[in-house]
Amino acid sequence: MILFEKIRWKNFLSTGNQFTEVSLCDNSTSLIIGTNGAGKSTILDALCFSLFGKPFRKINKPQLINSTNEKDCRVEIEFTLSGIQWKVVRGIKPGIFEIWKNGSLMDQASSVVDQQKWFEQNVLKMNFKSFTQIVILGSSTFVPFMQLTSSNRREVIEDLLDIRIFSNMNMVIKEKIREIKENIKVLELKKDSLNDKVSMQKEFIQKVERDSEFMIGAKQNRISSLESEMADHLQKIERYNDEIAEKQLEFDDWSGDKNKLKKLNQLRGKISHRIDSVVKEHKFFTGNKVCPTCTQSIEEDFRINKITDAQNKSKELQSGFLELEEAIKEEEERERQLNSITREITNLTHGISTNNVTVSEIRKQIKCLESEIQKLASQLANKNSEHEKLDSFKKKLKETLNELSESREKINYYDFSYSLLKDGGVKTKIIKKYLPLINNQANRYLQMMDFYINFTLDEEFNETIRSPIHEDFSYSSFSEGEKMRIDLALLFTWREVARMKNSVNTNLLIMDEVFDSSLDGFGTEEFLKIIRYVIKDANVFIISHKESLHDKFENVIKFEKVKGFSRMLS
C-alpha cells in the first residue's frame, strides 16, 4: 500500500515563494474550502505534477509557474511503500526531477521520459489514468470510468488487477517475434548464398579435375611438337656449322698475301709506264735522224743501236707484262673465290643465328607450358583443400538450416504466447474471474447511496443496467446526480479491488466539488456515511464551497487569496 504522507509546493500556480504544506495522513476526513480562485484545487494539480509531471486540470506546463515570481516553481511529495521512504521533487525554472529513496538521491536516467516510465512501473505501479480513477474524483477535468474509451477502461482494470504485466509481456513478445522474423530473413538469404556456394564449389572441383587432365595432355602434346621442331632447328644449326667449317678450309686454301694483287697492279703500272717510254724512244730514233731540239745529226750507228736496244727491251717488257697480266688474273680469281666463300660463310652464320633465335623462343614456350602443367598438376594435387572448402560450406549450410529450424520453432512458441497474452486470452479470463466481485461491489455501494439498480460490466467493460422501472438502461440515460452515484460507486469499487490486490492501493482519496454539483442533500448524507464508516484505511479529502459541512469532517483546511497569492489556513 502506498501511504502518502505530505505534499508541499511554492511558486506553483497562484502560490507565492513560501512553501504550502499539507499533511496527507493525519486525519481520516478533511474538508478543503475556499472561494473560487482561492487555490483550494491546487492540491490536485500539485499531486499529479509531483507524481506524473503534468497537472490534473487542463493547464499548460509553463502556466504552472507563478506568473509574478516566474521562477523556482517547486513541488515535493513524500510517501512510504513497503517500508521504504520515497520523496519526489519536481521543479520548473530550473527544471528538476529527483527521486529520493530512504534519504538518498537515486541515479537519474538519461531522459526524463525514461525516468518517469521507470517510476510509474517500478514504484507507483499505476499510470495517470489509473491514479485519477482511484485517488482523485474531480468535477472539472475528471473523466469518469463510464466515459472513458474501451482501451482506457481496459488500462485502468489491468492496473487494478496487476495484469498490466501481461500487456508489457505481449509487447516484448511482439518485438521478439519481429526480431526473429528479421533473423529468419537473414538466415534465408544466408542459406541461399551457401547453397549457391556449395553448387559452385562442386562444379569447380569437377571442372578442375576434368579440365586439368585434358589441358595437361594438350600441353604435353604441344611440348612434344615444340621439341621435335626444336630438334629440326638444332640439326640445321649443326649442318650450318659443318658447312662453315668446310668453307673455312676452302677459305684457308685460297687465302694468301692480301696485298699481292695491289702490288701486282702497282708493278703492272710501272711496266706499262716503262713500255710507253721504250716505245717513245723507239719511235723517236726511228723517225728522227736529226735532233729536233738542237738540229745536230744523229749518228746512224747510235740511232740503229738505240732502235735495236728499244726493240729488245720492248720484247722483254711485253713478255714480262703478259706474265704479269696472267699473275693478276690468277690473283683476281683468288680474291673472287675468297669473297664468294666469305658470303657463303656469312649466309650460313645468319642461318645459325636465325635458328638459335627460333630455338630460344621454342625453349621459352616449352618452359611456359611446363610451368602451366605444373600449376595444373598442383591444382589436381591440392584438390583435397577444395574438398575441405566444400565440406566447410556444407557444415555452415547445415548450421544455418538448424538455426532456421530453431527460429521457426521459436516463432511458433512466441505466436502461441502472443495469442495467450492478447486481450482475448489470459487477461480476459482473469478479468472475467473478477467481474462478479466488481459488479457486486458496485451494486453494494449504489445501494448504500439508495440507488437501487442492477449495474453490471461485461468482459469488454460495457455496462448493462436494469432498474425496477426500466428493463434496459444505459449510463447516459441517467440524470447527472444518478451518474455521479454510479461514478462514486465505481470509484469505491476500484479502491476496494486495489486494496484486495494490494497493488495500487493507497491511503489517499480526494474529491473535488462532489457536493457542489450533482449530489442532492440525501445523496450527500449517504455519501458521507460511506466515506466515514465504509471506506477503511483511507485519508479522504473533500474540496467544496460549502462551509456548512464543517462539523462533518475531522479536519478543515481553508484557502484564501491575499494580495494575489493563495494562502492556506488550517
Side-chain angles (χ1 to χ4, degrees):
M1 177 179 181
I2 300 175
L3 178 62
F4 290 102
E5 296 171 345
K6 63 181 176 181
I7 185 169
R8 63 180 192 154
W9 62 86
K10 69 175 181 176
N11 291 317
F12 185 78
L13 293 173
S14 60
T15 308
N17 198 36
Q18 298 298 319
F19 273 110
T20 297
E21 183 172 311
V22 177
S23 175
L24 302 175
C25 62
D26 287 347
N27 300 284
S28 297
T29 59
S30 297
L31 177 66
I32 300 176
I33 59 174
T35 60
N36 286 332
K40 59 184 181 297
S41 296
T42 302
I43 189 172
L44 302 176
D45 296 308
L47 267 170
C48 292
F49 179 68
S50 62
L51 296 174
F52 301 99
K54 56 184 176 181
F56 175 72
R57 293 175 290 182
K58 292 181 179 179
I59 304 172
N60 293 330
K61 192 173 179 180
Q63 295 175 332
L64 293 176
I65 189 169
N66 181 273
S67 58
T68 302
N69 295 330
E70 295 184 343
K71 65 178 181 177
D72 198 22
C73 174
R74 190 179 179 96
V75 181
E76 300 177 3
I77 187 167
E78 296 180 19
F79 60 93
T80 302
L81 176 62
S82 301
I84 298 174
Q85 184 70 38
W86 295 91
K87 179 181 178 181
V88 180
V89 180
R90 292 199 196 245
I92 306 173
K93 290 186 178 182
I96 303 170
F97 181 21
E98 297 175 350
I99 302 174
W100 295 74
K101 181 179 180 181
N102 290 331
S104 299
L105 178 63
M106 298 189 67
D107 293 336
Q108 293 181 301
S110 57
S111 71
V112 173
V113 174
D114 291 340
Q115 188 162 326
Q116 180 65 37
K117 185 176 180 181
W118 177 89
F119 180 63
E120 290 181 16
Q121 292 179 351
N122 296 279
V123 181
L124 292 179
K125 299 198 177 165
M126 59 179 161
N127 58 22
F128 181 78
K129 289 188 183 69
S130 298
F131 183 79
T132 55
Q133 290 294 317
I134 298 168
V135 178
I136 297 175
L137 177 61
S139 62
S140 58
T141 59
F142 170 71
V143 180
F145 179 84
M146 295 306 302
Q147 296 180 28
L148 293 174
T149 62
S150 296
S151 60
N152 288 337
R153 289 182 185 184
R154 178 171 287 275
E155 285 182 16
V156 172
I157 299 299
E158 287 181 2
D159 279 339
L160 283 171
L161 299 179
D162 266 351
I163 58 175
R164 192 71 181 273
I165 184 64
F166 293 125
S167 296
N168 295 333
M169 289 170 62
N170 207 19
M171 291 175 63
V172 171
I173 289 174
K174 190 175 181 180
E175 181 62 22
K176 287 284 187 184
I177 290 173
R178 187 193 65 78
E179 290 176 0
I180 293 173
K181 285 183 177 179
E182 289 295 326
N183 188 46
I184 286 175
K185 288 181 182 178
V186 173
L187 290 173
E188 286 286 356
L189 292 174
K190 187 177 179 181
K191 179 197 73 174
D192 293 341
S193 174
L194 287 169
N195 274 325
D196 291 341
K197 286 181 179 180
V198 168
S199 299
M200 290 171 64
Q201 188 66 13
K202 286 180 178 178
E203 291 176 4
F204 175 73
I205 291 172
Q206 292 173 355
K207 188 175 184 300
V208 166
E209 292 176 347
R210 181 180 64 251
D211 293 353
S212 295
E213 291 175 357
F214 173 78
M215 292 175 72
I216 287 173
K219 291 179 188 299
Q220 286 175 340
N221 291 335
R222 177 60 179 159
I223 288 174
S224 298
S225 175
L226 289 172
E227 287 177 342
S228 176
E229 185 180 345
M230 184 174 66
D232 291 341
H233 287 289
L234 290 173
Q235 287 178 359
K236 286 182 181 179
I237 291 171
E238 187 177 353
R239 188 170 65 251
Y240 288 157
N241 283 326
D242 292 341
E243 291 180 10
I244 287 173
E246 291 176 1
K247 295 297 179 181
Q248 191 64 47
L249 291 175
E250 290 183 29
F251 185 85
D252 292 341
D253 290 342
W254 285 99
S255 63
D257 188 358
K258 293 181 180 179
N259 296 322
K260 185 176 180 180
L261 180 60
K262 182 179 179 181
K263 291 177 181 178
L264 290 173
N265 283 325
Q266 290 175 352
L267 181 58
R268 182 172 64 180
K270 289 180 180 180
I271 292 174
S272 296
H273 181 69
R274 181 62 179 156
I275 289 173
D276 289 341
S277 298
V278 171
V279 170
K280 286 181 180 179
E281 185 178 349
H282 179 270
K283 186 177 179 181
F284 178 79
F285 285 106
T286 300
N288 294 299
K289 291 181 179 181
V290 178
C291 177
T293 306
C294 64
T295 65
Q296 290 183 0
S297 299
I298 301 173
E299 292 182 2
E300 187 64 22
D301 291 337
F302 179 76
R303 188 177 69 79
I304 291 170
N305 287 334
K306 282 289 186 182
I307 291 169
T308 303
D309 187 47
Q311 288 175 342
N312 291 333
K313 286 183 178 179
S314 177
K315 288 180 181 179
E316 290 176 3
L317 288 169
Q318 287 289 343
S319 175
F321 185 79
L322 290 173
E323 291 177 0
L324 181 60
E325 283 287 335
E326 187 65 30
I328 287 173
K329 287 180 179 179
E330 290 177 0
E331 193 59 32
E332 286 178 343
E333 177 63 21
R334 186 184 67 79
E335 286 288 332
R336 188 183 66 76
Q337 290 292 339
L338 286 173
N339 288 336
S340 175
I341 292 169
T342 299
R343 284 195 298 274
E344 290 179 1
I345 290 173
T346 299
N347 290 335
L348 290 169
T349 302
H350 179 70
I352 290 171
S353 177
T354 301
N355 280 277
N356 276 328
V357 170
T358 302
V359 168
S360 177
E361 289 296 325
I362 290 173
R363 282 176 176 160
K364 285 182 181 178
Q365 291 183 46
I366 290 173
K367 187 176 181 181
C368 183
L369 288 168
E370 287 175 344
S371 176
E372 291 175 0
I373 288 172
Q374 187 175 2
K375 185 177 179 181
L376 290 168
S378 176
Q379 286 182 346
L380 280 174
N382 294 330
K383 65 182 180 181
N384 288 337
S385 63
E386 298 299 332
H387 280 290
E388 290 175 1
K389 192 181 292 185
L390 176 61
D391 292 339
S392 173
F393 289 149
K394 287 181 177 179
K395 182 179 178 182
K396 289 179 181 178
L397 178 59
K398 185 177 180 181
E399 291 173 354
T400 303
L401 290 172
N402 289 337
E403 285 185 50
L404 267 173
S405 177
E406 290 174 2
S407 296
R408 290 193 176 105
E409 286 181 7
K410 284 183 180 179
I411 282 285
N412 293 333
Y413 169 76
Y414 284 129
D415 280 340
F416 177 72
S417 301
Y418 183 70
S419 65
L420 287 178
L421 295 172
K422 287 194 299 186
D423 288 344
V426 174
K427 290 189 294 183
T428 297
K429 292 185 180 298
I430 295 174
I431 291 170
K432 191 173 181 179
K433 178 182 177 182
Y434 278 91
L435 275 178
L437 171 65
I438 292 172
N439 291 327
N440 287 336
Q441 288 295 324
N443 286 299
R444 173 172 167 256
Y445 286 113
L446 285 170
Q447 290 172 13
M448 287 181 183
M449 290 183 283
D450 284 338
F451 191 29
Y452 295 98
I453 62 172
N454 184 10
F455 178 91
T456 58
L457 293 173
D458 61 17
E459 290 89 345
E460 299 300 323
F461 309 108
N462 298 314
E463 79 276 15
T464 300
I465 300 175
R466 292 184 174 86
S467 72
I469 302 173
H470 299 284
E471 284 295 323
D472 294 319
F473 252 63
S474 66
Y475 175 82
S476 58
S477 304
F478 292 105
S479 67
E480 293 304 315
E482 290 170 328
K483 287 180 183 177
M484 178 60 73
R485 285 175 170 83
I486 294 173
D487 295 337
L488 290 171
L490 288 174
L491 174 65
F492 296 144
T493 298
W494 301 149
R495 290 184 61 84
E496 186 68 20
V497 172
R499 187 182 65 80
M500 292 173 61
K501 289 293 294 181
N502 198 29
S503 56
V504 290
N505 188 18
T506 80
N507 67 306
L508 192 60
L509 174 59
I510 303 179
M511 285 172 278
D512 185 19
E513 300 181 3
V514 174
F515 300 117
D516 305 340
S517 56
S518 301
L519 286 181
D520 52 24
F522 183 75
T524 299
E525 287 297 327
E526 298 303 324
F527 175 72
L528 288 173
K529 288 179 183 179
I530 291 173
I531 64 173
R532 186 179 299 170
Y533 302 113
V534 179
I535 304 299
K536 299 176 181 179
D537 300 325
N539 301 101
V540 182
F541 288 80
I542 303 296
I543 301 171
S544 176
H545 293 104
K546 296 181 178 180
E547 297 188 8
S548 59
L549 298 172
H550 283 198
D551 58 339
K552 307 290 185 182
F553 293 86
E554 293 180 10
N555 181 41
V556 177
I557 301 171
K558 185 175 182 179
F559 281 88
E560 64 179 10
K561 212 161 198 180
V562 179
K563 296 181 180 180
F565 291 100
S566 293
R567 187 175 63 177
M568 185 181 78
L569 303 174
S570 58

